[in-house]
Amino acid sequence: MLREEVEDFSLAVLGAGTMGLGISALAVGHGVPVTLVETDAARARQAPAAVTVQLRMAQLMNALPADRERGELTVTGSLAGTAGATVVIEAITEDLTLKTKVLAEAAALTGAEVPLVSNTSSIPIDELAGHLPDAARLIGTHFMNPPYLISTVEVVRGASTGEATLSAVTRLLGALARKPVVVGDGPGFVTSRILHPMINDAARVVQEGTATAEAVDTLMRECLGHRTGPLSTADLIGLDNLVDSLRVLAERTGDQRAAPCELLLDKVRDGHLGRKTGRGFYDYGKAQP
């Protein structure tokens, strides 16, 4: 990717949760300036340090270009910060009402040619698009965690997504050295529709006392080739995010296999959300940035 092509982009990321921070770190590490919008004051204060930690980890893993200056990171509590962006990526909680609210506000603050990207894990893009004045601007991306390490990105094209929007987002992913895989719309798309119910089943096995989390993950890694194991993956996703996604799938598909099991719900109620809180199916000692 040529330097001048990287400089074509200025990214606004909405939400400084796990994925918002990860996407911001990926972009900054590839030389793309980012305005990170976070209305929660405590999260906003912590965001620069959290992004720095991810950048340091990415550098240690040789996951960022060594010859490229970092992009500038600006953290703000106002959606007005999206005004100069060439692409807006929404990465807030998996809630239809909240997502459509911030996407509509961002749409009003940005130019008609600026793509609006929802980094949703389960909510159909067409469902979100129905709440926007120009559905052609909306597209879905599903970055995996951590974004700097997983180079393939699921791109979800809704029925109304415009060709110019798809082209711009494909170019952005190229600038970030990501490989886009374009899929059609539907609850959970491909990755979440397959992976999240499988994780739910793995949690049920532990809930029923058939096996420990360690045993489940070992068998899935060493017998079936799952790279990290489903329950370790759940801790990386965030158990609260996983539960939200499973509820979306259960509501929109009618598949009760996707309804989050009691063990997941108990862990979320107890605040044991995975790596980000220091404890989930495994104990990580301290919260991760």
Side-chain angles (χ1 to χ4, degrees), residues 168-183:
V169 170
T170 300
R171 285 185 58 244
L172 172 64
L173 292 173
L176 302 180
R178 305 300 95 176
K179 175 185 175 182
V181 176
V182 181
V183 301

Side-chain angles (χ1 to χ4, degrees), residues 35 48 58-59 84-85 118 125 142 145 179 199 204 225 242 271 276:
T35 298
Q59 286 178 318
S118 179
I125 296 304
H142 191 191
N145 189 31
K179 175 185 175 182
I199 293 174
R204 282 197 186 97
L242 177 63
K276 62 186 176 184

Side-chain angles (χ1 to χ4, degrees), residues 209-224:
T210 304
T212 64
E214 292 86 349
V216 169
D217 279 352
T218 298
L219 290 168
M220 292 299 289
R221 283 196 310 270
E222 298 180 14
C223 295
L224 299 179

